[in-house]
Amino acid sequence: MPGMTTLRTLSKSKLLAFRQCPKRLWLEVHQPEARQDSGATVASFAAGHQVGDIARQIYDPQRRGQLINPQVEGFDEAFARTQALLQSRQPIFEAGFRAEGALAFADVLLPVGKKWRMVEVKSSTSVKDYHRDDAAVQAFVARACGVPLQSIALAHIDSGWTYPGNGDYRGLLVEKDLTEDAFARTGEVRGWVAEAQAVVTRKKAPHIATGTQCTAPYACGFLTHCQSTEPQAEHPVQWLPRPDNMIKAHIEAHGTRELRDLPDNLLNPTQQRVKAATLSGQAFFDQHAAAQALAAHKLPGYFLDFETIQFAVPIWQGTRPYQQMPFQFSLHRLGRTGRVAHQAFLDLSGGNPSLPFAQALIAACGESGPVFVYNAAFEATRIRELAERHPCLAPALHAINVRIVDLLPVARQHYYHPSQQGSWSIKAVLPALCPDLSYDALDGVQDGGGAQQAYLEAIAPATSAARKATLAHQLRAYCQLDTWAMVRLWSAFTGQPVRD
């Protein structure tokens, strides 16, 4: 009839977007081109697909099941084939359902007598509240299609499980039954669908200011877009490092946007320093105190940085899900005369790099002298894990850990430039303190996430030798800049020159 609005059929992901923020849903439907997913979000999607592939092996070891692919078959065919397969009593993967204005695809559907057991598979290591919403939507749509659903569970990764090798992933996933909760929320989900339908039929996006919903439970790819439509604070309160609950409550209660409007009596000394430097535009640098903090650590010194990879689904025997595995290090040695020498290690073979990495690290670090890092907890933990993995090398590895000196607290206590915007990451401090150096000048790999993506591409069987060589060059250049940056920070802090 004229004037009637055709309602969209909303996917589960759209409904979960609505649950996070109605404006996000509207943008997903009407302005999808404004979405900019971060590297971390893309990596999370990839991990989810990988875990889904393994789940099919785990739940269908005899390979008797059927996989539905709506991107290849088309949605109408996928829904029709699902209904046909429901009569066959075999496992179904990505079974598609559409009812009451919503659609969803079930990761795993297993026959149990005349009923079905549904399993939603996640790459997380625990059950989150938003997973319960996910299961409620899945159960609602499937049951609305007439599926005799006996139960629904969420399978997530067991982070304590160790991969035995040979493609045996039994035990990787653990299940949490969500049947009672999901089945009890039928009316609630029906309400979400109705509310979400009302949002997408609006001509304009709902007016919702950016806030905590922009990062939880998911990082929203529309954050930059939404911020661009809001008045910009000159000195945003988000630049304040490590706000406690009192500060957060004050910001929420007063709608505070400008750093200048935060009362000093709520701020600790570091936060007051950040506020003062930001508002004045003048850097804070107590070079004398920084030099004193480092005076006890005599040269020769070693400046060390690691790059690591983690797999949701382990590929190397004896490793765990999401275990940080170092595959590269850069090390600059600074001698007593100020001369610098560089050593590096990079393993792109695709095999477990653990042992050759540890052996090369021990050889490179020598037997004495401080080992400078930036954020000691990371490197120290990786070295301790290497020692556990290779007991014969443990004494030498522990000896390196004893020598570690962290440059991060020196920077945090004695230096701050307004351009850091509340961050003491080395990528924020370096261009402020050493403006001739910049990560932006690097080709290809410019951060840790980029290094992980480069590693994964380099070890992929389909990657050509020429492309692998390019990636290796980019990885070496990135990691080398990390440790050269530390040398330069040390020089600025101590006042002692260095010679490259």
Side-chain angles (χ1 to χ4, degrees), residues 52 55-56 59-60 63-70 73 77-97 104-112 115-121 138 142 147-149:
R56 291 195 282 278
Y59 286 103
D60 185 26
R63 302 291 196 271
R64 294 175 180 169
Q66 294 289 319
L67 172 64
I68 295 172
N69 187 338
E73 303 173 37
E77 176 61 26
F79 297 131
R81 195 155 77 90
T82 295
Q83 292 303 314
L85 288 172
L86 286 171
Q87 312 306 316
S88 67
R89 318 309 299 166
Q90 60 185 311
I92 310 172
F93 301 100
E94 301 301 328
F97 304 103
F105 289 86
D107 292 332
V108 181
L109 203 59
L110 304 171
V112 182
K115 293 190 174 183
W116 292 87
R117 184 169 86 88
M118 184 182 288
V119 183
E120 282 303 293
V121 181
Q138 292 282 31
V147 179
L149 207 58

Side-chain angles (χ1 to χ4, degrees), residues 235-256:
H235 305 117
V237 292
Q238 288 77 15
W239 291 356
L240 191 75
R242 300 179 178 179
D244 60 20
N245 288 335
M246 287 185 61
I247 294 173
K248 292 177 182 177
H250 180 92
I251 292 171
E252 184 73 22
H254 296 82
T256 307

Side-chain angles (χ1 to χ4, degrees), residues 174-197:
V174 291
E175 286 187 15
K176 170 73 173 179
D177 185 84
L178 300 179
T179 308
E180 184 177 356
D181 178 71
F183 284 13
R185 300 176 74 183
T186 297
E188 191 177 348
V189 176
R190 189 173 280 120
W192 299 346
V193 175
E195 292 168 17
Q197 295 282 9

